[in-house]
Amino acid sequence: MDDQSSRNSNPAGNNPKQEQLNRYRIQNTGKPMTTKEGKKRSQDQDQLKAGIRGPSLREDYEFFEKMSHFNHEEIPERVVHARGYSAHGEFECYQSMKHVTKAGFLQEAGKKTPLTTRFSTVQGAKGSYDTARDLRCQGVKLYTEEGNYDLTTIAMPVLINQDAMKFPDAMHAYQSKQDDDIPTATGAHDHFWDYVANNPESLHMVQWIMSDRGIIRSYRMMESWSINTYLFVNDQNEATFVRFVWKPLLGVHSLLQDEALKIGGLDPDFHRRDLRRAIDEGAYPEYELCVQLIPMEDEFKYDFDVLDPAKFWPEELVPCQPIGKMTLNRNIDNYFTESEQAAFNPANVVPGIDFSNDPVLQGRLMAYRDTQQHRLGSANYDQLPINRPLCPFHNNTRRGYMRERIDVDEVNYHRNSLANNTPYTVPPEEGGYQHYPGKVEGYKIRARSDSFKDYFSQPRIFWNSMTAIEKQHTIEAFSYQLGKVRSESVRQQNVDLLVNVDREMACVVADNIGVRHPSGSHVPVSASYPSLSQYNTPKYAATQKAGVLITDGFNGSEVTNVLNQLQRNGIFTDIVSEHLGTISGADSAQLNVNETFLTTSPYLYDTLYVVGGNPKNQAKFNQDMTYFVQNAYSHYKPIGVASSGQPYIQTSAENNLAGVVFAANNPNFGADFISAIAMQRFWDRT
């Protein structure tokens, strides 16, 4: 076997999927160059020519191989979720769930299952940017002993449509316009909002996208829901309705709209870079898998239809029970083979997990394999290393593009006598998959249940559950997006739709986008649920990113002590100064600068540590420091001020300095600063 990749600091250990992938990991460093068939190459810079200035020759196979492969390196993008990124990890079961499911990976506490996951946006192409306001997906492929289980979730608990028949319409309207292919990675255009206004079932999900949930701070801080209703089935063949939720242990946090837009230009790979850095530094992202369970006999107990994918199951009514934890502990070695070629399909389930009559889920069961086969070019895409199951797999499929298996059997049909009727089917009691025998009756019909048609009660509940600042951000998002719509009629229609959620909100948006106030009022629903507000999420200082603004002449002992405290508390730091290289403190302390005021931006940091010093160009340094500090202050971020940094932030009648911590005369500065970092935003700041 060729040498394994050594770039990743996280070895496979006892992870069987990583051990399997190691057979495909190749390190080319230090090796002789060859053609794809193994012939060693003596030159790789010039085509074979007839004379030094002559024409190139058709016999130059080495050039043809190299250029031809380059011409075919890309595969079709995903129609949706084109921009994404992956990591590897494992799932550990907390407790046995055998009372509700016979799924093998959920049978005993402590059982670990290797997995890979891919995060993605929806609207933008592969070359778009990470921080766009969008719904996001997380696909998790668990390599279980019973076959691959693909759990696909999105970063909000409701979907834009109630039937899979509508999904192409929603995406056609959402994606860039057909005439000019503009705009990229946003639905802020006439076609999308025309769709929203004329398809009221879409309003609920759009409201979630317009909330802070639409611009996540990090994949590590993204909550995601299965949306669809599945079934758990136990070994007594008893079924239970189930929805899945991934809850990040770091809490759920978001960017401000201004930050998301700016970061999209400053660092389009912001979320990818953030995920890789956390894993490289050993701050492994963790997510608890929670389940919401509803007994089959309670299907009609609630004021929402449990099969409606445009409705959430309130945690206060249907509790989220943690059943295990996913830990992402290894970065991918190769984006193309481990992320771009990763193929997810909600039809990939294991015994103990089955499907409900959710009309979106029913459509997805057909759509995913078809799109993956088209995108990856062959029905054999499931033989690619990233998609290959760990458990043995045997069947009678043969041939097709890029068939990798060398099946040595002469017989490839069922039933047969020549091979003693093998491969053979497996009875359910021995692990064979059996669908839950749910009763089905009714006439063939293209229609939708009346129980799906309450479009406004849950959006009203979501609105009621928000804090004042969350409501303000949502109003700003609606105003920004609808402000990009050129059709006054479409703008008016959307305001007339929003009034069903909240009249005051709709009127403010109407004023902001230049249309008349709507008539009528919101639906008479007063319920609210704390679980829907990010205000109640856990908050930690760990893995927040601090920019240290500093130059030569700093107080070495003071700064070194603070930096050590930040490091001990898991806070990532960048040393930002006038130039790269080494800077020296007044007492011979030295720091390595890894960013300059030119190469980074205050938008890329969660907090600032303002130190200062004795710069070479005082006027330019003051200008840069002022820009960074004012930007962080206006975005409500915590700011720590060293004793030498006080000139850069002063109390005045216009500010209250909420969340600003000063080192001067403060022996507890380090601890106070870390507590402020944990708060993340200070919304009462003036």
Side-chain angles (χ1 to χ4, degrees):
M1 184 179 73
D2 290 81
D3 288 350
Q4 297 173 198
S5 167
S6 60
R7 292 192 299 108
N8 203 300
S9 59
N10 305 294
N14 60 354
N15 185 316
K17 183 61 184 179
Q18 294 305 314
E19 293 170 1
Q20 183 194 60
L21 289 176
N22 280 342
R23 297 199 292 271
Y24 300 92
R25 290 189 171 107
I26 304 297
Q27 186 176 67
N28 298 290
T29 305
K31 305 295 172 44
M33 180 180 291
T34 71
T35 64
K36 294 176 69 175
E37 301 290 342
K39 180 178 69 177
K40 292 180 180 178
R41 302 192 60 174
S42 61
Q43 213 256 33
D44 186 45
Q45 299 185 95
D46 304 293
Q47 295 181 64
L48 187 66
K49 305 181 186 73
I52 192 69
R53 297 176 59 79
S56 58
L57 302 179
R58 290 182 63 185
E59 70 181 70
D60 189 357
Y61 170 77
E62 293 181 12
F63 167 75
F64 178 77
E65 179 192 86
K66 182 178 181 180
M67 184 56 69
S68 178
H69 189 95
F70 173 78
N71 291 342
H72 295 84
E73 276 184 351
E74 295 306 321
I75 60 178
E77 285 189 357
R78 290 168 167 87
V79 181
V80 291
H81 304 292
R83 182 167 184 82
Y85 207 69
S86 296
H88 300 303
E90 65 181 13
F91 174 82
E92 182 175 358
C93 183
Y94 282 167
Q95 58 186 302
S96 173
M97 296 299 293
K98 65 173 56 179
H99 60 291
V100 288
T101 179
K102 56 186 175 184
F105 74 103
L106 296 176
Q107 292 303 290
E108 59 184 85
K111 184 174 181 60
K112 294 183 178 181
T113 303
L115 60 85
T116 193
T117 187
R118 182 178 185 270
F119 300 92
S120 61
T121 56
V122 167
Q123 200 267 24
K126 199 168 100 173
S128 58
Y129 64 103
D130 284 349
T131 57
R133 182 181 291 278
D134 200 354
L135 62 116
R136 285 172 173 78
C137 176
Q138 181 178 14
V140 177
K141 186 182 292 291
L142 294 109
Y143 303 99
T144 84
E145 296 166 353
E146 300 173 295
N148 289 352
Y149 171 44
D150 291 354
L151 176 55
T152 57
T153 57
I154 63 174
M156 42 208 64
V158 293
L159 199 59
I160 198 168
N161 52 280
Q162 295 175 316
D163 192 290
M165 184 72 86
K166 291 289 293 177
F167 190 74
D169 299 313
M171 291 303 104
H172 285 166
Y174 188 36
Q175 291 175 325
S176 54
K177 294 191 298 169
Q178 184 170 277
D179 54 354
D180 55 16
D181 201 33
I182 297 172
T184 297
T186 176
H189 58 84
D190 291 51
H191 292 175
F192 176 64
W193 289 98
D194 178 53
Y195 179 88
V196 173
N198 289 279
N199 295 270
E201 70 189 80
S202 68
L203 176 62
H204 195 184
M205 183 178 197
V206 169
Q207 185 183 349
W208 280 79
I209 298 174
M210 294 304 110
S211 77
D212 290 340
R213 301 270 187 171
I215 40 178
I216 62 169
R217 162 60 181 84
S218 166
Y219 290 140
R220 301 177 292 112
M221 303 167 189
M222 187 179 95
E223 188 174 17
S224 59
W225 291 260
S226 65
I227 303 299
N228 296 128
T229 302
Y230 293 83
L231 300 180
F232 267 165
V233 183
N234 64 19
D235 55 9
Q236 280 80 48
N237 218 22
E238 299 166 336
T240 305
F241 290 117
V242 59
R243 285 192 178 183
F244 301 92
V245 188
W246 289 111
K247 289 186 174 291
L249 295 192
L250 286 175
V252 184
H253 303 286
S254 299
L255 299 168
L256 296 179
Q257 178 167 270
D258 179 60
E259 293 174 316
L261 292 169
K262 299 296 194 308
I263 292 171
L266 291 163
D267 185 4
D269 308 305
F270 183 75
H271 287 151
R272 298 178 176 203
R273 203 182 310 277
D274 172 87
L275 181 65
R276 286 194 73 89
R277 179 174 185 176
I279 294 174
D280 281 341
E281 297 201 16
Y284 299 144
E286 296 178 314
Y287 312 77
E288 284 192 321
L289 179 62
C290 301
V291 292
Q292 292 179 283
L293 303 174
I294 294 180
M296 299 292 284
E297 60 269 22
D298 290 346
E299 179 176 0
F300 303 106
K301 174 182 176 180
Y302 302 94
D303 59 2
F304 54 87
D305 194 314
V306 301
L307 300 182
D308 184 353
K311 305 293 192 301
F312 56 73
W313 293 4
E315 293 183 23
E316 288 76 4
L317 302 181
V318 188
C320 271
Q321 177 185 351
I323 64 170
K325 183 176 71 173
M326 171 171 63
T327 302
L328 303 181
N329 55 18
R330 181 182 176 114
N331 277 314
I332 57 175
D333 286 308
N334 186 291
Y335 168 78
F336 184 83
T337 54
E338 295 177 85
S339 186
E340 187 66 12
Q341 289 192 143
F344 298 89
N345 183 354
N348 289 340
V349 294
V350 293
I353 301 176
D354 209 331
F355 314 113
S356 76
N357 294 334
D358 177 330
V360 166
L361 176 59
Q362 290 289 314
R364 295 177 71 209
L365 299 178
M366 181 280 292
Y368 275 65
R369 182 168 185 89
D370 181 56
T371 192
Q372 302 291 13
Q373 183 170 329
H374 165 72
R375 189 177 66 86
L376 295 171
S378 171
N380 292 316
Y381 72 84
D382 43 21
Q383 293 184 30
L384 294 168
I386 196 64
N387 300 319
R388 181 186 293 263
L390 275 175
C391 64
F393 54 102
H394 306 283
N395 51 57
N396 289 315
T397 61
R398 298 290 188 271
R399 304 179 182 176
Y401 289 116
M402 305 307 294
R403 180 75 174 184
E404 183 178 285
R405 286 165 62 99
I406 302 175
D407 298 283
V408 299
D409 312 271
E410 294 182 5
V411 175
N412 62 343
Y413 51 87
H414 186 84
R415 302 173 53 101
N416 66 73
S417 62
L418 295 177
N420 196 27
N421 204 27
T422 58
Y424 56 86
T425 57
V426 181
E429 57 271 18
E430 296 178 17
Y433 189 89
Q434 180 184 42
H435 288 277
Y436 175 70
K439 184 178 180 181
V440 177
E441 61 181 15
Y443 297 99
K444 291 186 289 185
I445 185 173
R446 292 191 187 275
R448 196 170 303 179
S449 172
D450 287 341
S451 57
F452 280 34
K453 294 179 180 178
D454 178 3
Y455 302 131
F456 305 120
S457 292
Q458 284 205 343
R460 175 65 181 172
I461 292 172
F462 183 36
W463 179 260
N464 293 342
S465 303
M466 291 184 188
T467 61
I469 193 66
E470 289 173 308
K471 291 179 178 179
Q472 176 186 328
H473 292 163
T474 303
I475 289 172
E476 291 171 355
F478 274 118
S479 301
Y480 174 85
Q481 295 261 324
L482 287 168
K484 296 286 187 179
V485 172
R486 297 294 167 253
S487 169
E488 182 178 347
S489 171
V490 170
R491 297 200 303 272
Q492 185 66 60
Q493 290 177 65
N494 276 277
V495 166
D496 293 342
L497 185 66
L498 288 175
V499 74
N500 294 285
V501 177
D502 186 77
R503 176 166 180 78
E504 182 181 357
M505 178 259 287
C507 290
V508 173
V509 173
D511 290 339
N512 290 342
I513 64 174
V515 298
R516 67 179 183 276
H517 286 193
S519 59
S521 188
H522 46 257
V523 294
V525 176
S526 59
S528 65
Y529 299 119
S531 63
L532 301 180
S533 170
Q534 288 187 209
Y535 179 81
N536 301 308
T537 197
K539 298 179 177 67
Y540 302 100
T543 77
Q544 295 292 297
K545 190 176 179 182
V548 182
L549 312 184
I550 192 169
T551 191
D552 291 305
F554 59 90
N555 184 323
S557 59
E558 176 187 325
V559 171
T560 301
N561 178 55
V562 172
L563 292 180
N564 287 338
Q565 289 187 67
L566 295 179
Q567 183 179 20
R568 286 197 300 271
N569 283 272
I571 297 163
F572 301 157
T573 57
D574 281 351
I575 306 300
V576 183
S577 192
E578 303 165 277
H579 55 78
L580 295 176
T582 303
I583 55 174
S584 301
D587 46 4
S588 301
Q590 291 191 327
L591 292 173
N592 291 320
V593 177
N594 62 315
E595 293 285 358
T596 70
F597 292 113
L598 182 63
T599 62
T600 190
S601 166
Y603 287 99
L604 303 178
Y605 297 104
D606 302 300
T607 182
L608 296 180
Y609 178 34
V610 181
V611 180
N614 302 315
K616 294 181 176 62
N617 184 334
Q618 188 73 57
K620 180 63 168 62
F621 187 79
N622 289 348
Q623 181 183 5
D624 290 334
M625 292 284 283
T626 299
Y627 170 66
F628 270 69
V629 171
Q630 288 182 347
N631 183 281
Y633 193 87
S634 67
H635 289 97
Y636 311 97
K637 297 176 181 178
I639 300 173
V641 184
S643 55
S644 56
Q646 283 193 238
Y648 297 103
I649 186 163
Q650 299 290 331
T651 304
S652 72
E654 286 74 40
N655 64 43
N656 62 7
L657 298 186
V660 179
V661 183
F662 292 93
N665 302 315
N666 181 2
N668 297 316
F669 170 73
D672 292 346
F673 184 29
I674 290 165
S675 295
I677 294 172
M679 288 295 296
Q680 302 190 23
R681 305 278 186 177
F682 290 84
W683 303 117
D684 58 340
R685 178 179 291 169
T686 59

